[in-house]
């Protein structure tokens, strides 16, 4: 049974259900020990679960920090990529984790992209061509106790702006190598 903090009014679509199912069996994600429980039809909300088991526990019997970190890896990037559309480039740029309490039980994480956040990103990219956002998330137990806090820095750019910037950087790089 899902904890109360994972309750939502959003629904899953056939498309997001298929994507979630594919991601759960994708070897790179499957190997983290994480499981995607829900992916909303508007791509703006995702719920994860991470159990302590033979694949995820460490030497002292708690959930391995690498499992906490890797099971939380791709979601904000994938969500923004789907929400913003193909005219945007979205990259994970950095991430940090702060361990608050050892995980001895099943942990959960909930990702939500607000409309204000999405509108702010679109406005910044329209004005400057690119932007960065630091987005937080937490791993909590069923009682809502925080076990780890993660901040993910995402880079978002207009695709044309990004490609132009990349071509210029590549030309500068190749000139410097041959001089």
């Amino acid at each position: 049974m899902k904890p109360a903090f994972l309750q939502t009014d959003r629904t899953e679509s056939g498309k997001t259900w298929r994507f979630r199912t594919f991601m759960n069996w994708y070897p790179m994600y499957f190997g983290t020990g994480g499981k995607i429980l829900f992916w909303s039809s508007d791509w703006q909300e995702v719920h994860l679960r991470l159990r302590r088991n033979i694949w995820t526990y460490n030497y002292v019997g708690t959930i391995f920090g690498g499992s906490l970190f890797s099971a939380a890896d791709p979601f904000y990037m994938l969500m923004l990529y789907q929400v913003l559309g193909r005219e945007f480039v979205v990259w994970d740029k950095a991430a940090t984790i702060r361990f608050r309490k050892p995980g001895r039980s099943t942990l959960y994480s909930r990702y939500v992209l607000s409309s204000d956040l999405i509108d702010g990103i679109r406005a910044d990219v329209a004005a400057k061509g690119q932007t960065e956002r630091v987005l937080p998330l937490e791993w909590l137990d069923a009682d809502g106790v925080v076990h780890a806090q993660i901040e993910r820095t995402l880079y978002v750019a207009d695709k044309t702006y990004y490609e132009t910037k990349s071509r210029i950087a590549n030309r500068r790089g190749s000139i410097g190598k041959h001089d």
Side-chain angles (χ1 to χ4, degrees), residues 8-50:
T8 183
D9 293 332
R10 289 187 165 109
T11 58
E12 203 168 39
S13 66
K15 183 177 181 178
T16 56
W17 178 87
R18 283 188 300 278
F19 188 78
R20 173 175 64 88
T21 302
F22 167 78
M23 284 291 295
N24 277 328
W25 287 103
Y26 180 60
M28 295 305 135
Y29 189 71
F30 180 80
T32 69
K35 180 162 185 172
I36 308 162
L37 302 174
F38 173 79
W39 204 309
S40 68
S41 60
D42 62 4
W43 299 89
Q44 290 181 230
E45 187 170 344
V46 172
H47 303 169
L48 306 179
R49 178 184 71 210
L50 182 61

Side-chain angles (χ1 to χ4, degrees), residues 115-171:
S115 296
D116 289 343
L117 172 71
I118 294 164
D119 293 344
I121 289 171
R122 287 182 188 276
D124 282 358
V125 170
K128 299 180 267 183
Q130 63 184 0
T131 191
E132 287 184 15
R133 287 292 190 282
V134 177
L135 303 178
L137 61 119
E138 298 175 323
W139 282 108
L140 305 104
D141 63 21
D143 296 324
V145 175
V146 176
H147 289 260
Q149 296 169 310
I150 300 173
E151 288 186 337
R152 302 199 63 85
T153 303
L154 284 98
Y155 170 83
V156 181
D158 174 87
K159 193 173 219 168
T160 304
Y161 175 90
Y162 179 80
E163 289 170 352
T164 301
K165 185 178 164 184
S166 294
R167 276 194 299 275
I168 292 168
N170 287 339
R171 270 191 244 131

